[in-house]
Amino acid sequence: MERRPARGHRMVPHTADVRIEAWAPDREGCVAEAVTALVDTFVDPAGATPEADVEFHVPPGADEDLLVGVLDEVIFRMETEETLPLATEVRPADDGGLTVRWRATGTDAVELVGAVPKAVSLHELRFGADEGRWSCAVTLDV
């Protein structure tokens, strides 16, 4: 059986939509990997340079709600501000939520390579501690 690196992500086959998996040693790292996985499903960020720092707060909630909140923010900012994260840092917030910081670029700085996600599906959403690390699986509506 192939051994996965301590942190990473991948796309997995899914009918009609896009499904991603991400994993990391901790919850926040897993959320950051899921952001990268989401972006990698539809753009090639190679050669793009960060143009801005973006920071936002996700209010406290269940772990799945925190993950969806961050991924929804990627889609929202892409649609409303035409920005995408190139690098993501996630920290626990004092109130139990998350503080997310992106090094972002404009959508015009990346090459489109796939269907653009429209929403995060709650169907078959999985996120939690698994065998000493955190992992998630998310379906993206395209």
Side-chain angles (χ1 to χ4, degrees):
M1 188 157 130
E2 182 181 326
R3 181 171 158 86
R4 285 187 182 175
R7 183 177 173 141
H9 62 271
R10 68 179 182 163
M11 283 190 296
V12 293
H14 191 272
T15 55
D17 292 315
V18 175
R19 187 143 173 98
I20 58 172
E21 293 180 349
W23 58 91
D26 56 34
R27 179 183 74 162
E28 292 76 19
C30 189
V31 172
E33 280 296 327
V35 169
T36 302
L38 183 156
V39 172
D40 286 353
T41 66
F42 69 101
V43 298
D44 178 3
T49 56
E51 299 170 354
D53 288 334
V54 175
E55 187 170 293
F56 64 95
H57 177 262
V58 178
D63 291 328
E64 293 87 357
D65 295 337
L66 295 172
L67 173 65
V68 170
V70 173
L71 297 178
D72 279 344
E73 191 72 16
V74 174
I75 295 168
F76 174 77
R77 293 198 186 223
M78 176 191 58
E79 291 175 348
T80 62
E81 299 175 2
E82 297 182 346
T83 62
L84 287 171
L86 294 176
T88 303
E89 176 188 322
V90 181
R91 297 182 319 273
D94 292 338
D95 66 357
L98 297 174
T99 300
V100 181
R101 183 171 185 257
W102 290 332
R103 300 282 295 143
T105 193
T107 55
D108 59 343
V110 295
E111 180 182 349
L112 186 66
V113 295
V116 177
K118 301 295 180 201
V120 177
S121 173
L122 301 180
H123 181 68
E124 297 181 341
L125 175 70
R126 181 180 51 78
F127 182 46
D130 180 27
E131 298 180 19
R133 68 176 173 198
W134 282 75
S135 66
C136 67
V138 179
T139 302
L140 304 169
D141 296 333
V142 294

